[in-house]
Structure formats: structure tokens, C-alpha cells
Amino acid sequence: MVEAKVFACAYGYDTVAGYPVPLPALTIVGEKVDKLLAASEILREWGCGDDGDAVDIEIVLRRDGSYLLGMQPNLRRGMYRMSKDQDLQDVIFFGGTWIKKIVATNPILVQWKDATRARLSPVLISLATAQSKFGIPQIETVKRVPGALTFVKFDLRIASEEESPDHLLIDMVDDRKRSLGKPRVAKPREIAQRRQRVIDSAFPVSRDRVRRLDLHERLVDHLKVDQITAAQVAQAAINVQLSREWSGLDHYPIDDFSTEAWWDRTLERVEITTLPNLMGQIDLAVLARQLELDVATVLRGHGAEVSPKFNNNQRQFVRLGYGGD
């Protein structure tokens, strides 16, 4: 987009097949046809041909009458293209942001600002060239680039500098330094929810075998503790199964434990129903011990005191929010 020498945007309304009324149309105007076509191909690769919200487009109306136009890949959709199963991977996604300052704000953008906020409001995005006079595009010369992608975007965000004085686009253009703050710490309930998602995603066969063997009910009866969740039992049984696969031991030796190796093995492991059902070979005493180890590990990570009695630890585990639903 930089090499395309974008210098303006055109605004209006246009008809789109499948929509009953003309849509607001935002046309990005540049000088270099070949570079606009190259940008169009990138947008197509991101998935904008099927889903216009695969790209994020933001407009910030500034106090001095100018505005900033920012474009970047949508974070969530970009991460999905990199990794279909994000419950098993912590994806770090880098996306470049193209920002263009437009010196004058057309009044139609103020109208769109209110309209896009008030309701579901699709906007047609396209690329075009135009001739300019004294830096101003001549509207009669605006022509869409033949073969370039046009797409409908539902999540066009328009904000004013008054509303968002700390907007990221303003920070970047004005070269303002922003503190990233401390890393966000996951809440106990979020950890419980992720436990269930990982089981559902990576261990569906093992999960169903645990359920068919009634291991949850049997373990609750064995330990005489009512607050144990089905997800906890499934996790404990899967941990025993993986430990036996990887180390030959019931409980993976903590001295040889590596989080990175754990995830690498999990990612490479594929569950299929034709594998031997080894869940039935896990004694309740072994399963109970693994459950104790799992709960104690979580409590230590939380900074809580671990009791010699499992009942006390389980109650604290649930009270802190790690038990989930």
C-alpha cells in the first residue's frame, strides 16, 4: 500500500449483489495499479474474498480535521490461519499495520461513524486509481482497479480523537511511547475452562473412554469427596496414560518434566478409536494419586498452601475457582 502511493479515499454508495439497498462504499485511491493489485492479492490470501472482516480497517477522526486510516490483518482470523487448534498452542501473531494520514475529513465519514456504531452496517471496500490536481483527486477520474478484490466489511470501526485520545493509531503516528504493562494472568475459572477445551480438542477418545468406564463416579465413591469434577478425573486419567506412554511410569517424573516437551508430544499425538483401550487398566488408587498430584501442582502455582489431606486441597481448589462448572 505504501508503494501504491495511496493519497486519498473516495466515499459514496454502491449496489452490491444480494443486498437490497446500496451500501456505503469506501474506495482507497492510489497511483500505482500494479502495487494496488499486489495489495489486493494479499487481502485475498487473508480470506477477504469470503470474509471481509479478515482485515481490520480503522479510521480515527483527528481534532485538526485530518484522519488516520489503518489496515491490518484481523488478529483472531490470522491466528486461526496459522494454527487451527489454538487450545494446544500459544500462538504469537505478528501483523504489520499500514497507516495513512488523509489531510481532510469528508462529512460523510461523520455520518458513517454514527451509523456503523448504531447497527449492523456493511461497507463495500475497493481499490482505485485517480488523477489528482494539487494533491486533490478528481472525482470524475476515479476508476476501480480492474481485477482487484472488492469486499464487504461489517466491522469498520470509526472513532474520534476526542473519544479515543489514546488510540493506537495516534500513538504510532505521533510516536508516543506506550507502556505494555504486566502480562495478564489467567483467572482460575479460565484455567478450568481451558482444561476442558484441551481435553475435548486433543483427547476426545480418551475422554469418552473415561466416561464409559464411569471413572468419575467410581473415583468419587473411592475418595468420598463430592466436589471432584468430571474434567479433573479425565485429566488425571489422561496424565496417567501419557506418563505410561512416555516414561513407563504411572506418574511422570517431575525432575524430567518439560512443559515444551509435554506440548510437543501432545501436538504430535493423534487419538483414534482403533488404539487399544488402556483406560480400564488404571487402578483407582493410581488415578487417585494422580488427581492429588494435579490438584497440588495447581495450588502451588497459585501460591496456596498444600495440605497433607486431599480433601482439604480439593475444597481449596474448588473455592479458588479451578474446579470449573
Side-chain angles (χ1 to χ4, degrees), residues 7 15 30 83 87 90-91 103 115 120 130 135-136 178 183 202 204 209 220 229 244 265 281 288 295 306 308 315 321:
F7 64 94
T15 57
S83 171
D87 289 325
D90 291 324
V91 179
V103 296
L120 188 66
I136 301 174
R178 172 183 291 196
R209 286 174 174 174
V220 168
T229 66
R244 288 177 173 179
R265 289 165 175 167
Q281 301 178 16
V295 170
V306 177
R315 281 196 293 269

Side-chain angles (χ1 to χ4, degrees), residues 11-22:
Y11 325 91
Y13 292 84
D14 203 347
T15 57
V16 178
Y19 291 85
V21 296

Side-chain angles (χ1 to χ4, degrees), residues 210-227:
V210 168
R211 179 176 54 80
R212 291 193 189 99
L213 289 167
D214 294 324
L215 288 184
H216 177 230
E217 292 79 5
R218 290 164 56 194
L219 189 62
V220 168
D221 184 65
H222 175 76
L223 292 173
K224 307 302 181 185
V225 178
D226 295 331
Q227 293 181 303

